[in-house]
Amino acid sequence: LRENGAAALYFHHVQPLLDTLNARKIRPLLWHDMMLTWDDEALRNMGRQAGIVIWGYHGHPDESPHHFSSQQIARFAELGLTTFGATAFKGAEGTNVDRPVFASRMKNAAGWVEISQRHHLAGLITTGWSRYCYNTCQCEAFEACLDILLAQALLMHDGHYPEDIMAQAPEMIGKLWKREEGERYAKVRAAAEHFAAMHEDVWYDVRTHLSHWAALRHDPRRRPSALYQQTFEKHYEAAVKSGEEYRAALAPLIPGACLDAYFMERLTAVKLVKDIPLPS
C-alpha cells in the first residue's frame, strides 16, 4: 500500500474476480466509496472492467459533503465511467429501527432520480440492508417496508408516485400480486408501526436509566423518583406485548429462529439494563 497506493492494492485483490467474470461476459458492479482517492487513470481502468455504483442514503447529493456529493458524481461521469446511483428503501435509519422514515427515504430517492437525469447515469438501484455488519442487530423487517419499496419503484419508473401512496399501498400490492398479500401487508405494517413506537419509548428509558446510573456514581443526591422506575416497567411491558403482536403478524412469513433473533436483539438488552440496580 505504501509503495503502490490504494488503487493498486484494490486491483491486486479483485483483478482475478474481474478477469473471471469478464471472460464469461459478466460485467460486475462495484460500490464506489473505496475509489474516491484514486487517480483518473486507475478509475478509467476500473471503468473498462466494471460498472460503478455511487451510493448514498441520506439527503440529496447536492446537499451532501460526503462520499456521494454531486462533485464526486460529476467526476465519475466526466471520466466516462458507466455509473449507477444507489438509494435505500430500508436499513438506512439505524441498526435498531423497525420502520423506515418515509420522508427521508423518498427525499433521498428523489435526489437520485434528479441526479441520474443530470449526469446520465446508467440506472438506479434501491437497496435493502439486513445488518450493518455481522455482529449488529437486524435492520427492519423487509415485510414491513413494501410501501416504501413500491413508492421508490414508481418514482424511478414514472418520475412520480401518488401522494397517498402510504394509504394506497396495501390495495396496490393486492392488485399487483394477490389480494390476500395486500391485506396481510396492511396488518404487518400496522403491527410494525405500533411496535416501533413502543420500542422507541423503551429505548428512551434505557438511555435515561444509564444516565441516572452514571450520575449516581458521582452524586448520590440525584436519585430519581419511584415513578421513574414504574414508567420504565410500564413501557417495557407495553413493548413486550406489542412485540408479541408484531411477531404474530410476521410468523407466517419469517422462520421462527429469525424472529427470535429480531426480538431478542431489541428487547433482551432493554431488560438487562432495566434490571441493573441503581447505586445505593
Side-chain angles (χ1 to χ4, degrees), residues 107 137 141 217 223:
K107 177 181 179 181
C137 292
R217 297 275 294 178
R223 181 164 298 279

Side-chain angles (χ1 to χ4, degrees), residues 8-260:
L9 179 62
Y10 190 98
F11 276 113
H12 178 75
H13 181 64
V14 304
Q15 193 64 59
L17 297 171
L18 296 175
D19 291 342
T20 299
L21 292 169
N22 289 165
R24 288 163 173 75
K25 309 299 182 185
I26 298 170
R27 186 172 173 82
L29 299 178
L30 295 171
W31 259 226
H32 83 297
D33 48 313
M34 295 295 174
M35 307 174 192
L36 292 176
T37 61
W38 294 10
D39 61 36
D40 290 354
E41 184 51 41
L43 287 173
R44 290 192 186 97
N45 183 20
M46 180 58 77
R48 287 188 284 268
Q49 305 177 77
I52 309 302
V53 182
I54 304 175
W55 66 274
Y57 307 140
H58 293 281
H60 193 295
D62 285 350
E63 303 167 358
S64 174
H66 304 299
H67 60 276
F68 68 107
S69 68
S70 296
Q71 291 80 8
Q72 294 287 358
I73 297 167
R75 182 188 175 215
F76 280 78
E78 288 164 3
L79 290 172
L81 309 183
T82 301
T83 55
F84 298 77
T87 181
F89 74 95
K90 68 176 286 288
E93 256 75 53
T95 61
N96 204 22
V97 172
D98 302 290
R99 271 280 294 171
V101 178
F102 182 84
S104 175
R105 295 301 90 237
M106 297 313 297
K107 177 181 179 181
N108 181 244
W112 276 113
V113 168
E114 195 274 321
I115 285 289
S116 176
Q117 296 168 337
R118 189 195 310 169
H119 293 291
H120 307 290
L121 302 186
L124 294 175
I125 301 168
T126 185
T127 59
W129 297 93
S130 297
R131 294 181 188 272
Y132 284 25
C133 60
Y134 180 77
N135 59 350
T136 56
C137 292
Q138 297 178 32
C139 298
E140 55 270 63
F142 177 92
E143 291 77 6
C145 307
L146 297 182
D147 53 351
I148 299 175
L149 177 59
L150 177 61
Q152 290 192 349
L154 290 170
L155 176 64
M156 291 179 186
H157 188 269
D158 300 335
H160 58 87
Y161 60 92
E163 290 185 5
D164 60 345
I165 184 70
M166 299 283 281
Q168 285 196 44
E171 182 180 355
M172 294 178 72
I173 290 168
K175 288 181 178 178
L176 292 168
W177 191 4
K178 300 175 184 176
R179 183 175 59 81
E180 57 268 29
E181 295 297 343
E183 294 171 351
R184 178 154 61 182
Y185 175 66
K187 294 177 182 177
V188 168
R189 184 177 67 182
E193 289 177 342
H194 187 261
F195 179 66
M198 299 299 101
H199 188 204
E200 184 175 348
D201 284 346
V202 81
W203 272 96
Y204 174 84
D205 293 334
V206 165
R207 294 189 292 271
T208 302
H209 187 82
L210 291 174
S211 67
H212 285 325
W213 190 90
L216 283 167
R217 297 275 294 178
H218 297 282
D219 187 351
R221 296 171 298 176
R222 296 176 63 183
R223 181 164 298 279
S225 68
L227 180 62
Y228 149 75
Q229 193 66 37
Q230 294 170 8
T231 301
F232 198 166
E233 292 282 354
K234 178 182 176 182
H235 286 168
Y236 175 71
E237 290 171 5
V240 169
K241 184 176 185 298
S242 181
E244 291 170 351
E245 293 168 354
Y246 186 24
R247 180 183 178 121
L250 290 171
L253 304 168
I254 300 177
C258 296
L259 291 174
D260 288 344

